[in-house]
Amino acid sequence: MTAEAISQSRTGGDFWDGVRLSMPVVVASAPFAILFGAIAVDSGFSVLEAFLMSAMIYGGASQMVGIELFGQHVAPWLIVLSIFAVNFRHVLYSAGIGRRIAHWPLLQQALGYFILTDPQFAVAEARAVSGKPVGFVWYLGLGLPVYVFWVIESGLGAVFGKLIPDTHALGVDFLLPIYFLGLVLGFRKRPLWLPVVAASAAASIIAYKTVGSPWHVSIGAVAGVLLAVILPPHHSGIGERP
Amino acid sequence: MSTTFWIILAGAIATYLTRVGGHLVISRFENIHPRVEAGLNAVPAAVLTTLVAPAVLGAGPAEWAALIVTALVSLRGGLMPMFLAGAAVLILARQFVG
């Protein structure tokens, strides 16, 4: 075997290594993609718009937030701001993974950042920590199936959502709060979780009753974040690391 | 072009900025101030809480039952079991309470 042939077969192996690791993510995200499509249509999106949102934003929680606010007829710029806020955590992933992929050609890096989701970061960072190289082909093998299935299933959910006769009986209108509660509880191991959630909940309810929707989102979020900033750093468990 | 399309496009650009921005901006600093990092850490839970809390107030018994079951399942399971359990309770309860 020539060196080139070996390198090629290795490249193919890297791709399928990534695909194998992507499968649990594909399976776990499928119901949410379908749910997103169905709720998007229920909130007034067309099938094409639901499909486009998944293809262009590619961030489950933020898409759900966008749909929820769209359904409440919130001002467009506030919807975009809320999408930005929910996705803001990617800044940390980006800074982290940037150290691993800085040697890729620029276009590959640009594409790599586009598909940088929570699981993409988690799996790629775990590989880097274990001492293996994070190559573009492997990274694409990990991310591409998740992306393709996410977009197709969103479209299917949107088509299917139009066929649901009684959305109230199936609880479609209240599935998002349940989903968001699940996400909030998923963060419960983070430092300051309880005080942040309590502050955001209280502030958003007060704002909802006084100022009104949609300002309860921004006001509640700012209250929680400010509390985390104001509390002394030793409470947040940050800065104690060696 | 519809308003919806512009929302999607702007949302996509905003999202891409968060995905590329950390590398372009944050990695230039040697150290992030602990308070800033604590604030960044708090963002997702803070934003998502504001989407749950007012909905809880305006809901009825069927929705409360679903949320309580969701919270209980979260102590053991991951996001998927939690969500499915909550959705199942909601659909079931609405058959009786409406």
Side-chain angles (χ1 to χ4, degrees):
Chain A
M1 240 191 202
T2 64
E4 197 182 331
I6 290 170
S7 135
Q8 267 185 6
S9 75
R10 192 53 237 150
T11 303
D14 275 349
F15 184 79
W16 292 108
D17 274 356
V19 171
R20 199 170 41 79
L21 290 171
S22 77
M23 283 304 127
V25 186
V26 169
V27 172
S29 57
F32 296 114
I34 295 166
L35 176 71
F36 163 76
I39 295 180
V41 167
D42 196 49
S43 308
F45 268 45
S46 70
V47 173
L48 177 68
E49 286 162 349
F51 175 86
L52 273 181
M53 195 180 201
S54 277
M56 291 170 68
I57 294 182
Y58 185 45
S62 71
Q63 291 177 221
M64 300 286 198
V65 169
I67 289 296
E68 167 86 6
L69 296 178
F70 184 83
Q72 295 177 18
H73 305 288
V74 165
W77 67 271
L78 258 177
I79 300 179
V80 175
L81 187 68
S82 302
I83 291 172
F84 182 72
V86 172
N87 281 330
F88 201 72
R89 66 190 186 283
H90 292 115
V91 165
L92 298 173
Y93 302 161
S94 168
I97 211 72
R99 293 170 295 164
R100 320 291 188 188
I101 68 173
H103 60 282
W104 295 359
L106 210 57
L107 263 179
Q108 294 184 358
Q109 285 191 47
L111 181 63
Y113 286 117
F114 179 72
I115 57 172
L116 183 60
T117 56
D118 307 63
Q120 185 80 14
F121 171 74
V123 177
E125 184 66 16
R127 182 177 170 95
V129 168
S130 75
K132 292 180 191 162
V134 177
F136 176 70
V137 171
W138 175 83
Y139 186 94
L140 200 63
L142 173 65
L144 197 60
V146 183
Y147 178 81
V148 170
F149 278 99
W150 177 261
V151 174
I152 292 175
E153 286 156 358
S154 300
L156 288 178
V159 173
F160 177 71
K162 288 199 151 172
L163 305 176
I164 300 176
D166 185 357
T167 49
H168 179 80
L170 285 176
V172 171
D173 57 294
F174 203 74
L175 289 181
L176 280 183
I178 293 175
Y179 171 73
F180 292 139
L181 177 67
L183 288 179
V184 169
L185 291 167
F187 289 115
R188 69 184 182 282
K189 298 267 163 63
R190 287 204 179 179
L192 294 180
W193 179 80
L194 193 59
V196 166
V197 166
S200 292
S204 68
I205 287 172
I206 294 168
Y208 190 81
K209 296 270 182 197
T210 55
V211 193
S213 178
W215 295 101
H216 66 282
V217 177
S218 325
I219 293 171
V222 167
V225 172
L226 269 185
L227 182 72
V229 171
I230 290 169
L231 286 175
H234 67 267
H235 283 300
S236 54
I238 290 164
E240 290 178 344
R241 283 183 234 140
Chain B
M1 284 295 168
S2 66
T3 313
T4 316
F5 176 80
W6 290 112
I7 292 173
I8 294 170
L9 184 65
I13 293 170
T15 300
Y16 191 70
L17 285 179
T18 66
R19 287 184 171 145
V20 79
H23 172 59
L24 295 180
V25 180
I26 299 231
S27 55
R28 289 185 195 280
F29 298 98
E30 281 295 309
N31 287 306
I32 307 174
H33 193 281
R35 286 179 194 269
V36 175
E37 196 178 342
L40 290 177
N41 265 332
V43 169
V47 174
L48 293 166
T49 298
T50 67
L51 297 168
V52 182
V56 175
L57 276 194
E63 291 78 15
W64 290 330
L67 291 172
I68 290 167
V69 169
T70 306
L72 287 178
V73 175
S74 85
L75 298 177
R76 279 301 167 90
L79 180 60
M80 184 62 61
M82 194 188 314
F83 175 74
L84 290 180
V89 170
L90 176 67
I91 293 169
L92 200 67
R94 277 201 176 165
Q95 311 307 316
F96 300 105
V97 197

